[in-house]
C-alpha cells in the first residue's frame, strides 16, 4: 500500500520536489491531486550525512519527508548534505518543542491528512529523540526502556552485564569521578565524550597530566554534532585491529550488511587518523566471530529496529566493543555504491528503508552478505598534511581520472579552510575505488597517498608579504615563512615543484608538525 504504480509515480513526484524549507505547510491543491492526499510521511530527526541518503531513498519510493530538528542542533550541521544528494527538499521542516505533546501538535499541523509511517534518526544527534518520539507516536521504535543508548559508558555496562567482553572504564562530569581510574590504569588511556561521532574529541593520553588537560578541554567543548559534552569517558587502550560491523534490524532480527576493517594510523601528531576502510570476507574466521559478538551486543542494548554501526576491536582475548552507533554508518553514505557492487545490489541504506517501510522486502534480505564478494574495492579517506585557505583543488580532478575511481565526496572547495587531519572530522574527503583487478586499485591508492604527502590536492591562498617569487600566486606557502620570536627571521622553506605528475600539476611541500 505504500508504493505508487509506476505511471502515477512519475506524475506525482513533481509535487514532492518542491522546496518547503520555509517550515510552512505546503501550498498544494490536493483536490486537484487526490493521490497526494494518500501519500505517507516519514519523520527524520536531524537528517544529515547518510541520513540524507536514506531520506532520498524513501522519497524515491513515494514517501513525503519531514525534517525534525532537535533543540540545540546547529544550523551548520543542517547544511551537511552529501554531494550525491544535491539539495534536500522536504515536504516540511519542524523544530522540536519542549514537550512530546507540543512537538506532536506541530507535526500534525504540517502533515495534515498524510499518515506518518515512520520516525527514525537521521544522524547521531537525533538518536535519543527519535527513540522517544517514535515510541510516543506508536510507531516502530527501539523505545526508551534503555535511556540514552548513545552513552558509551552505559553501552559498556550493558554488554558487561550480558557477559560480553567490555573495556575497563570510568566516566563523569567532574574530574574527581575519574581521578582514581586515571591514577591506577596503565597508560596510554583513551578519553572521549560519552556522546560523539566520527572520533570527535577522542584522544590517546600518555600520562596523568595530559589526561587531566584533555578532560577539562572536553568538558568545555562544543561537539561537532551539536550540543555540549555532558561527561567524559576514560577507558583502557585496546590493542588490535578495529572493525566495523553494519546491521539493519527489524523486531530483533539482525541482518549483517557489511564487515569492514579500518585503516587507522598515526598522523599529524594524532594516534587515530583514518586512512581508509576495507571490506573483509564474510566467511573469514574474524568476520564470523565479529558478527556473532555484535549481534549479542545489539540484543544487550535493546536495539531491535533500524540501522546500527558497531565498532569492535579484535584484541588478544577476543572482540571488544569500542562503541555502538545506533544509526546508519556515516561518511555521507559514500560507501553505498561499493556495498551494492560487493553484494550484488544491496546496502544498509536499502535495508533501513525496507525495515521501516517494507517488511516483506526486509524478509527477503539475506542474513549475511555473499561470499565471495562480487567485486574488489575499498574506501580511501583523504588526509591533509597542511592547513590553510583553499584557492583551488586541482588534485580532486586528478583523482577522478584514476582507472578505479567510482565516486568522490568532499566538503572542501574554493575558500574552504583546511586543517591538519587528526580525526575523522578533519579528513578532507573520501574516495571509493573499485576495479576487477586488485592491482589497479593498489596502484591508485599509492598515487593518492603520494598526492597527499606532497600536498598536491590543493593550492592554498597566501599572504602578499609571502609572495617573493614570480608566479607566486600559484604557490601555497606555509605559515612557517613568518618570522619566529626566537630566530627573528623567516625559516628556509623548501619549495618542491614537479611537472611530471598527471595533467602537469604543480605542487608544493608544506612543513608538517
Amino acid at each position: 500500500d505504500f508504493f505508487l504504480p509506476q505511471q502515477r509515480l512519475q506524475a506525482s513526484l513533481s509535487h514532492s520536489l518542491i522546496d518547503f524549507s520555509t517550515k510552512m505547510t505546503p501550498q498544494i491543491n490536493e483536490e486537484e491531486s487526490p493521490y497526494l492526499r494518500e501519500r505517507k510521511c516519514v519523520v527524520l530527526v536531524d537528517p544529515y550525512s547518510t541520513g540524507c541518503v536514506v531520506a532520498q531513498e524513501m522519497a524515491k519510493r513515494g514517501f513525503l519527508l519531514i525534517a525534525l530538528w532537535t533543540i540545540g542542533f546547529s544550523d551548520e550541521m543542517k547544511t551537511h548534505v552529501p554531494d550525491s544528494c544535491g539539495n534536500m527538499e522536504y515536504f516540511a521542516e519542524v523544530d522540536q518543542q519542549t514537550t512530546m505533546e507540543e512537538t506532536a501538535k506541530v507535526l500534525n499541523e504540517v502533515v495534515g491528512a498524510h499518515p506518518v509511517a515512520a520516525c527514525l534518526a537521521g544522524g547521531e544527534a537525533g538518536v535519543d529523540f527519535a527513540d522517544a518520539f517514535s515510541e510516543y507516536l506508536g510507531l516502530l521504535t527501539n523505545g526508551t526502556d534503555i535511556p540514552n543508548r548513545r552513552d558509551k559508558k552505559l553501552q559498556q555496562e550493558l554488554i558487561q552485564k550480558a557477559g560480553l567482553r567490555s573495556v575497563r572504564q570510568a566516566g563523569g562530569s567532574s574530574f574527581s569521578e575519574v581521578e582514581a581510574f586515571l591514577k591506577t590504569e596503565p597508560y596510554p588511556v583513551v578519553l572521549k565524550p560519552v556522546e560523539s561521532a566520527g572520533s570527535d574529541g577522542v584522544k590517546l593520553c600518555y600520562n596523568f597530566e595530559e589526561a587531566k588537560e584533555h578532560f577539562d578541554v572536553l568538558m568545555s567543548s562544543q561537539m561537532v554534532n551539536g550540543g555540549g559534552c555532558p561527561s567524559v569517558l576514560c577507558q583502557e587502550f585496546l590493542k588490535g585491529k578495529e572493525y566495523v560491523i553494519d546491521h539493519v534490524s527489524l523486531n530483533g532480527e539482525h541482518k549483517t550488511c557489511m564487515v569492514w576493517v579500518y585503516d587507522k594510523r598515526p598522523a599529524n601528531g594524532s594516534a587515530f587518523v583514518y586512512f581508509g576502510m576495507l571490506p573483509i570476507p564474510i566467511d573469514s574466521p574474524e568476520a564470523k566471530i565479529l558478527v556473532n559478538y555484535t549481534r549479542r551486543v545489539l540484543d544487550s542494548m535493546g536495539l531491535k529496529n533500524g540501522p546500527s554501526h558497531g565498532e569492535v576491536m579484535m584484541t588478544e582475548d577476543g572482540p571488544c566493543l569500542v562503541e555502538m552507533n545506533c544509526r546508519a554508518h556515516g561518511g555521507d553514505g559514500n560507501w553505498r555504491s561499493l556495498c551494492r557492487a560487493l553484494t550484488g545490489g544491496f546496502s544498509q541504506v536499502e535495508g533501513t528503508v525496507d525495515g521501516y517501510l517494507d517488511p516483506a522486502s526486509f524478509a527477503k534480505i539475506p542474513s549475511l552478505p555473499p561470499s565471495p564478494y562480487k567485486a574488489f574495492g575499498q574506501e580511501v579517506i583523504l588526509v591533509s598534511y597542511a592547513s590553510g585557505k583553499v584557492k583551488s583543488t586541482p588534485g580532486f580532478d586528478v583523482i577522478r581520472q584514476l582507472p578505479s575511481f567510482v565516486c568522490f565526496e568532499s566538503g572542501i572547495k574554493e575558500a574552504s579552510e583546511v586543517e591538519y587531519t587528526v580525526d575523522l572530522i578533519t579528513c578532507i574527503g573520501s574516495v571509493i575505488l573499485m576495479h576487477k583487478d586488485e592491482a589497479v586499485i593498489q596502484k591508485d591508492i599509492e598515487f593518492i597517498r603520494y598526492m597527499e604527502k606532497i600536498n598536491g590536492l590543493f593550492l592554498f591562498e597566501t599572504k602578499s608579504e609571502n609572495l617573493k617569487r614570480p608566479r607566486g600566486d600559484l604557490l601555497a606557502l606555509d605559515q612557517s615563512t613568518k618570522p619566529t620570536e626566537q630566530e627573528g627571521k623567516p625559516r628556509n622553506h623548501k619549495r618542491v615543484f614537479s611537472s611530471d605528475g598527471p595533467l602537469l600539476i604543480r605542487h608544493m611541500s608544506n612543513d608538517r608538525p
Side-chain angles (χ1 to χ4, degrees):
D1 294 339
F2 293 162
F3 302 100
L4 299 169
Q6 186 64 33
Q7 64 271 24
R8 298 172 71 186
L9 176 61
Q10 300 295 333
S12 63
L13 278 182
S14 60
H15 294 290
S16 67
L17 299 179
I18 299 173
D19 185 3
F20 294 114
S21 59
T22 56
K23 302 186 180 181
M24 296 176 60
T25 303
Q27 301 300 310
I28 297 177
N29 189 340
E30 296 189 350
E31 294 301 324
E32 297 179 2
S33 181
Y35 193 81
L36 182 62
R37 295 196 302 271
E38 303 171 13
R39 295 176 64 187
K40 298 184 179 183
C41 295
V42 175
V43 178
L44 294 113
V45 183
D46 295 338
Y48 66 99
S49 186
T50 305
C52 297
V53 181
V54 173
Q56 288 198 341
E57 176 65 23
M58 291 176 165
K60 289 177 183 177
R61 301 192 189 189
F63 290 86
L64 302 173
L65 306 178
I66 308 292
L68 195 162
W69 306 111
T70 57
I71 297 171
F73 192 68
S74 69
D75 290 336
E76 181 182 358
M77 288 300 295
K78 294 177 184 179
T79 65
H80 183 158
V81 178
D83 293 342
S84 61
C85 293
N87 294 322
M88 291 300 297
E89 296 172 335
Y90 297 107
F91 182 74
E93 297 182 52
V94 297
D95 293 322
Q96 177 192 355
Q97 306 299 303
T98 54
T99 67
M100 290 291 179
E101 292 80 4
E102 292 172 349
T103 305
K105 180 180 178 181
V106 172
L107 176 64
N108 289 332
E109 289 174 354
V110 298
V111 301
H114 301 289
V116 176
C119 173
L120 64 153
E124 180 70 22
V127 169
D128 294 338
F129 189 75
D131 283 347
F133 197 48
S134 57
E135 182 180 55
Y136 179 82
L137 296 175
L139 301 170
L140 189 71
T141 184
N142 287 311
T144 56
D145 290 342
I146 298 177
N148 195 9
R149 290 180 179 84
R150 294 176 59 207
D151 187 318
K152 295 173 176 57
K153 181 174 182 291
L154 175 62
Q155 292 180 359
Q156 297 292 338
E157 293 170 351
L158 289 171
I159 65 171
Q160 183 182 42
K161 186 177 180 180
L164 299 173
R165 167 72 160 95
S166 61
V167 299
R168 297 188 301 273
Q169 64 176 6
S173 57
S174 65
F175 189 74
S176 61
E177 296 177 87
V178 300
E179 186 172 5
F181 175 84
L182 292 174
K183 286 183 175 179
T184 57
E185 179 68 19
Y187 282 83
V189 297
V190 176
L191 267 69
K192 58 186 175 182
V194 293
E195 300 175 1
S196 65
S199 70
D200 184 18
V202 180
K203 185 176 182 180
L204 188 63
C205 299
Y206 290 88
N207 54 57
F208 180 82
E209 291 73 21
E210 186 179 4
K212 185 178 188 306
E213 179 183 4
H214 191 58
F215 183 98
D216 294 337
V217 167
L218 288 177
M219 286 306 301
S220 61
S221 296
Q222 173 85 10
M223 295 293 96
V224 170
N225 283 327
C229 177
S231 61
V232 175
L233 184 59
C234 307
Q235 295 181 326
E236 69 169 296
F237 175 56
L238 297 172
K239 296 181 180 179
K241 283 188 176 181
E242 186 175 0
Y243 294 84
V244 171
I245 306 92
D246 293 333
H247 279 91
V248 287
S249 305
L250 178 60
N251 297 324
E253 181 182 5
H254 312 300
K255 298 194 175 184
T256 307
C257 304
M258 189 58 60
V259 179
W260 313 88
V261 60
Y262 278 138
D263 177 8
K264 294 172 72 173
R265 316 174 209 166
N268 294 324
S270 173
F272 301 114
V273 175
Y274 293 77
F275 280 74
M277 189 175 67
L278 297 77
I280 68 168
I282 200 66
D283 59 351
S284 63
E286 60 266 38
K288 292 178 181 179
I289 294 171
L290 290 163
V291 168
N292 177 269
Y293 174 85
T294 304
R295 291 183 178 185
R296 293 171 66 192
V297 168
L298 293 173
D299 290 338
S300 69
M301 291 178 55
L303 268 173
K304 299 179 180 180
N305 297 296
S308 58
H309 173 63
E311 297 177 347
V312 177
M313 192 74 74
M314 185 64 83
T315 68
E316 291 182 351
D317 54 348
C320 182
L321 180 70
V322 176
E323 59 189 52
M324 179 60 69
N325 300 283
C326 312
R327 39 80 180 171
H329 186 148
D332 287 350
N334 53 10
W335 40 263
R336 183 187 185 188
S337 58
L338 176 56
C339 279
R340 289 176 59 84
L342 294 170
T343 63
F346 170 77
S347 78
Q348 190 183 46
V349 172
E350 292 82 17
T352 298
V353 179
D354 288 342
Y356 279 100
L357 303 174
D358 187 5
S361 293
F362 182 89
K364 298 176 183 178
I365 299 172
S367 178
L368 297 168
S371 179
Y373 291 127
K374 301 180 182 297
F376 298 112
Q378 72 169 80
E379 178 185 18
V380 176
I381 299 174
L382 300 180
V383 175
S384 174
Y385 295 98
S387 64
K389 189 172 183 178
V390 174
K391 183 174 182 179
S392 62
T393 58
F396 289 1
D397 293 330
V398 176
I399 289 174
R400 291 187 176 96
Q401 302 303 314
L402 295 175
S404 63
F405 173 81
V406 173
C407 69
F408 176 76
E409 286 277 355
S410 177
I412 306 301
K413 55 187 177 181
E414 183 180 348
S416 294
E417 292 287 345
V418 170
E419 303 175 25
Y420 292 98
T421 300
V422 294
D423 55 20
L424 196 56
I425 303 300
T426 51
C427 79
I428 54 179
S430 172
V431 183
I432 300 297
L433 303 178
M434 283 190 292
H435 201 276
K436 61 182 180 181
D437 186 347
E438 282 189 281
V440 173
I441 295 175
Q442 291 305 313
K443 186 176 180 180
D444 289 349
I445 293 172
E446 291 174 4
F447 178 77
I448 291 172
R449 297 306 178 204
Y450 167 75
M451 292 282 286
E452 291 172 336
K453 289 179 179 179
I454 63 174
N455 295 311
L457 299 177
F458 309 117
L459 289 179
F460 290 107
E461 290 187 4
T462 59
K463 292 187 176 181
S464 58
E465 61 266 26
N466 289 333
L467 301 179
K468 301 184 181 297
R469 296 170 60 94
R471 297 179 59 81
D473 60 313
L474 297 180
L475 309 182
L477 302 186
D478 188 82
Q479 293 299 309
S480 60
T481 55
K482 294 180 178 180
T484 63
E485 293 182 2
Q486 294 179 342
E487 300 171 341
K489 61 181 180 179
R491 302 175 188 168
N492 292 328
H493 190 100
K494 183 179 179 181
R495 297 176 174 84
V496 180
F497 301 99
S498 171
S499 59
D500 298 328
L503 302 185
L504 303 182
I505 293 298
R506 175 175 288 180
H507 2 268
M508 197 189 99
S509 174
N510 286 309
D511 291 335
R512 299 185 181 86

